[in-house]
Amino acid sequence: MTGQAGRDARARLLVGGRDVSDVLLADTYWRRLRGMLGRRTLPPALLLHPGGSVHGMGMTRSLDVAVLVPRDRPDRGRVPVDAPMRVAKLAVLRPFALVTGVRGACATLEAPVGGFAGWGLSVGDEVQVVRAAAGGTAQL
């Protein structure tokens, strides 16, 4: 793989306006293809954008999954990765299982099991990604 395939794009994750976690952005084909697969240590969060459903093929651990829809434009197509989104569905993805999307889904957020509980994430919450600046740290 070449280009951005081998580098992870990093950002900060806001839930209800609170800064809760680092998040890796899977915002290219190659990053979405890799997802959480083959990682010895799981990142605290991974945002698959665009993406409305996820599978656990090849996974050895369960994950918390949130299916996200645009906050301001439901059912209107693709939105920027840093646009405010709303949690439409929460599930636990087990190895070799599938979490289906919802109508209008624009992204999927994954975290190790228990991560969402630690953030207090629930259906209806607003989620937003703040991209890292050129120096590697997110600008809040």
Side-chain angles (χ1 to χ4, degrees):
M1 290 186 260
T2 61
Q4 294 181 338
R7 292 179 293 210
D8 289 324
R10 298 177 185 279
R12 293 296 298 170
L13 180 68
L14 307 179
V15 173
R18 294 175 295 115
D19 183 359
V20 298
S21 178
D22 286 324
V23 61
L24 296 182
L25 300 179
D27 56 354
T28 68
Y29 172 80
W30 293 110
R31 289 179 184 151
R32 286 191 308 275
L33 183 64
R34 178 171 186 209
M36 293 278 202
L37 190 62
R39 296 179 187 268
R40 287 190 178 151
T41 303
L42 295 180
L46 176 77
L47 183 79
L48 296 130
H49 181 273
S53 62
V54 292
H55 66 81
M57 295 303 182
M59 295 297 297
T60 59
R61 294 175 264 186
S62 296
L63 300 171
D64 284 344
V65 173
V67 179
L68 307 175
V69 295
R71 183 193 69 188
D72 298 324
R73 304 181 318 157
D75 300 329
R76 292 234 164 84
R78 188 168 180 181
V79 298
V81 71
D82 55 357
M85 296 174 266
R86 184 178 51 81
V87 177
K89 178 180 180 178
L90 291 174
V92 173
L93 174 64
R94 306 219 183 280
F96 295 93
L98 175 72
V99 172
T100 58
V102 299
R103 182 182 172 128
C106 62
T108 306
L109 180 65
E110 298 179 347
V113 169
F116 290 177
W119 305 336
L121 187 69
S122 59
V123 171
D125 284 350
E126 183 176 309
V127 173
Q128 190 165 10
V129 169
V130 179
R131 285 186 181 265
T137 59
Q139 294 180 359
L140 298 178

